[in-house]
Amino acid sequence: MNKRILALIIIAIVAFCVAACTGPAKDPSATDKADPGVKTGAPESTAGTSGPVNETPEPTETPEPTDTPEPTPVIGKDIDALIVDLEDPFSFTECACTYEYLGPDQPWLNIVTETGDNHIIFNFPESFTTEEYPIVAFKYRIGFGQSVRPTNHFYAVTTGGGPIPQDGWWADVKFEKDLDWHVAVLKLNELFPAAAGDWRALRCPTVDIIGGDYAIAWFGAFTSEEDVQKYDEEFSAAYKDKLVKAEPPKVEKTEAIPTLADKFDGTLIDFEDCYDGDKISEVDAPPFAAVTGLGISEIVEDNGSNVLKLSYDAFYCETIVKSGTAYTASFDFQNKASAVNFGGFIFGWSDEGDPNRDFFENNGLEYDSGGSLCGRTGIGVFFMGENKVKVFINVWDADKNAKSYIFTDIETPVNFNEAYSKITLDDDGKGSVTVTSGETVLFKVEYSDAGLSAAVGLNEQYYKSVKILGSDGTELCSTDNALFSIYKTFAFGARAHEMHIDNVQLKSK
């Protein structure tokens, strides 16, 4: 038989069998008329079954209604201003920080600080002159325990240059730290008189503490303070239920304990192994180490020997000794040059995993070039020139939710500018410190009440009750919120303040 004829016969037989198994073809209109409660694609009756199928139809799931997006409020349409778009990543240039716009339920830019030269640059939507827009303003909120150190300034960025660390190109703003929202206003011609050219951007500091809570609700250039006020009123009215205050952290602290030594080894550092002109970064003098600010401190020959001329850098003991240890710290000292900013030593500072050891740097307690103080924690001794000494205690101000300090100025019989004097710090390890120059008592310290502080970012133990006493035992100042470490530490620091030190020794009793 012809193969083609045989194939046609086989196809016909298969088609007949399939038709017999499946029954008559289904009318497409039956699907259109089906019970709407039956899902499309439900199984049909099997072959040989007669009568209706007694299956309960599966109910159709009713889709949940989707929320209608809340329209973005139109703010400032009648105000002449250049408002930075906080949702546009091209609006920012960040350094040592990250940012995220959190809206619409949290209508602000959240900026998180990282390690380094932390700041963020806000780029305006177009360049402008100060004749067109003489004011820059922004609405901000600083979180619990945060601060912006004054040495991290605002810098102009114009077609003429910037950011430039020269007078007239930078300025400061006094930030409010009560956890609520505030408006900062910068009058450009007054604060940045040297900033030539059209304005393109403004470099702004972020808060100091790593992971800090810092928020910006709006940022822009305005023609007048009246327009700033009007814009803020419109913004606040639009988001009145969402501009909430920052909250204190709810997580309980876990105590941090640094790597501790049993004692100071008593090494004498006389710098005689160094060469005249060696920079501080080249000085090898363990257990002391250098942290450079400008790196301009160096070894010089003076008074018949090599000494460390310290200025805008730090020189600190890396050894941290157990609580309760009695020890002495001694060194030869002479004050040199002006004493507007900090120059002296710090003791009882915490470790807190801080690799920067910024004992030369302003800690945000005073403004730059105006009596800056140093050290995040501990007690600082600031040689202010001639026979005047400022002794200050870093504290936690619970009312302001911020670090602060208390201090006393002491007039001594010793003129520290005239000649070298031997300074000695004697800690009995039990609650008393005496600081002397030769045989003259400069001041005393009494400390007690060790425990964890409420200060944000500080998790070691501190003595909270600290008093500064005069040479005759008279109380000069005191606090119950001190940040005076229970561990024994010591460092020198100088910020734009020159001093000479020699024959440094820390020795446990």
Side-chain angles (χ1 to χ4, degrees):
M1 181 181 292
N2 186 294
K3 290 182 179 180
R4 176 179 175 83
I5 296 174
L6 179 60
L8 292 172
I9 293 173
I10 293 173
I11 291 172
I13 294 172
V14 172
F16 175 81
C17 293
V18 171
C21 291
T22 59
K26 191 172 182 180
D27 182 359
S29 64
T31 301
D32 298 335
K33 299 174 183 178
D35 187 334
V38 180
K39 288 184 177 181
T40 302
E44 299 177 11
S45 60
T46 57
T49 302
S50 60
V53 178
N54 295 321
E55 292 184 358
T56 303
E58 296 182 18
T60 302
E61 294 181 2
T62 303
E64 295 183 5
T66 57
D67 294 333
T68 302
E70 185 176 338
T72 302
V74 178
I75 301 167
K77 62 180 182 299
D78 298 324
I79 298 172
D80 185 6
L82 297 176
I83 304 299
V84 175
D85 184 356
L86 300 185
E87 299 185 64
D88 183 0
F90 291 102
S91 296
F92 316 105
T93 306
E94 76 281 6
C95 179
C97 67
T98 59
Y99 62 85
E100 180 183 12
Y101 185 75
L102 299 177
D105 292 329
Q106 296 175 307
W108 59 78
L109 187 76
N110 194 57
I111 304 171
V112 179
T113 296
E114 297 179 341
T115 301
D117 183 13
N118 51 293
H119 65 265
I120 185 167
I121 296 176
F122 286 82
N123 302 311
F124 296 105
E126 61 184 70
S127 298
F128 62 90
T129 67
T130 54
E131 287 74 23
E132 295 171 312
Y133 299 100
I135 291 173
V136 167
F138 59 94
K139 191 179 187 74
Y140 70 91
R141 186 194 68 185
I142 290 182
F144 185 87
Q146 309 296 321
S147 62
V148 177
R149 68 181 186 274
T151 52
N152 197 2
H153 309 293
F154 289 82
Y155 289 90
V157 182
T158 74
T159 54
I164 300 173
Q166 296 176 1
D167 288 346
W169 282 88
W170 61 267
D172 292 311
V173 167
K174 183 178 180 180
F175 287 93
E176 300 294 335
K177 296 178 284 189
D178 60 1
L179 311 184
D180 211 345
W181 291 93
H182 297 276
V183 174
V185 176
L186 291 79
K187 298 180 180 179
L188 302 183
N189 288 331
E190 293 181 13
L191 297 177
F192 307 93
D198 294 350
W199 278 74
R200 298 168 51 210
L202 182 68
R203 187 186 119 157
C204 305
T206 67
V207 294
D208 295 341
I209 297 175
I210 296 173
D213 179 10
Y214 181 47
I216 301 290
W218 54 260
F219 194 106
F222 295 83
T223 60
S224 67
E225 289 188 74
E226 290 76 18
D227 276 357
V228 171
Q229 182 178 355
K230 184 177 178 182
Y231 186 88
D232 184 57
E233 287 174 351
E234 292 185 19
F235 190 96
S236 299
Y239 294 107
K240 58 181 180 296
D241 297 328
K242 298 175 181 178
L243 292 174
V244 296
K245 294 177 69 173
E247 295 182 356
K250 296 180 175 63
V251 179
E252 291 188 6
K253 286 191 173 186
T254 301
E255 181 184 354
I257 301 175
T259 301
L260 300 171
D262 292 327
K263 62 180 182 179
F264 293 112
D265 62 12
T267 300
L268 176 66
I269 302 171
D270 58 12
F271 306 107
E272 294 306 317
D273 291 335
C274 302
Y275 293 96
D276 187 6
D278 282 354
K279 296 298 182 184
I280 191 170
S281 60
E282 302 171 312
V283 174
D284 183 20
F288 274 75
V291 178
T292 56
L294 295 182
I296 60 177
S297 301
E298 61 183 352
I299 302 299
V300 298
E301 186 177 345
D302 188 30
N303 200 35
S305 65
N306 285 347
V307 303
L308 175 60
K309 183 181 75 173
L310 194 65
S311 179
Y312 223 125
D313 297 295
F315 191 63
Y316 76 103
C317 182
E318 295 182 291
T319 304
I320 300 173
V321 175
K322 292 180 178 179
S323 180
T325 300
Y327 77 100
T328 59
S330 62
F331 57 95
D332 295 335
F333 173 84
Q334 185 175 17
N335 201 51
K336 299 277 189 177
S338 74
V340 175
N341 291 294
F342 181 82
F345 64 93
I346 304 169
F347 61 101
W349 45 267
S350 63
D351 181 54
E352 296 290 359
D354 179 12
N356 297 314
R357 304 292 186 212
D358 56 350
F359 308 118
F360 61 88
E361 185 61 280
N362 186 304
N363 59 6
L365 301 182
E366 291 288 352
Y367 281 98
D368 193 12
S369 300
S372 64
L373 305 178
C374 292
R376 297 188 306 162
T377 57
I379 295 177
V381 181
F382 178 175
F383 294 94
M384 302 183 73
E386 304 296 334
N387 64 338
K388 190 174 181 180
V389 176
K390 180 189 291 291
V391 183
F392 63 92
I393 308 169
N394 285 282
V395 304
W396 171 253
D397 189 329
D399 293 331
K400 295 181 179 179
N401 305 313
K403 286 187 293 182
S404 186
Y405 74 103
I406 63 170
F407 73 95
T408 181
D409 289 342
I410 301 173
E411 300 282 346
T412 78
V414 182
N415 187 324
F416 298 101
N417 288 62
E418 282 185 347
Y420 280 86
S421 59
K422 185 177 182 63
I423 308 293
T424 303
L425 179 151
D426 189 339
D427 186 342
D428 68 1
K430 299 177 182 179
S432 179
V433 178
T434 301
V435 177
T436 60
S437 174
E439 300 299 322
T440 302
V441 175
L442 301 180
F443 64 91
K444 298 179 181 179
V445 178
E446 291 182 355
Y447 59 86
S448 60
D449 190 19
L452 294 175
S453 169
V456 174
L458 300 180
N459 300 309
E460 294 178 17
Q461 287 202 54
Y462 297 89
Y463 292 113
K464 290 177 278 188
S465 178
V466 177
K467 298 178 181 179
I468 305 298
L469 310 176
S471 58
D472 60 356
T474 303
E475 182 178 310
L476 303 178
C477 66
S478 64
T479 178
D480 291 325
N481 292 299
L483 297 173
F484 183 51
S485 178
I486 67 170
Y487 308 116
K488 309 304 178 181
T489 54
F490 189 86
F492 297 98
R495 176 179 170 77
H497 179 151
E498 184 181 325
M499 61 187 195
H500 290 188
I501 58 175
D502 195 11
N503 299 319
V504 182
Q505 186 176 43
L506 269 65
K507 187 175 181 180
S508 295
K509 297 181 181 179

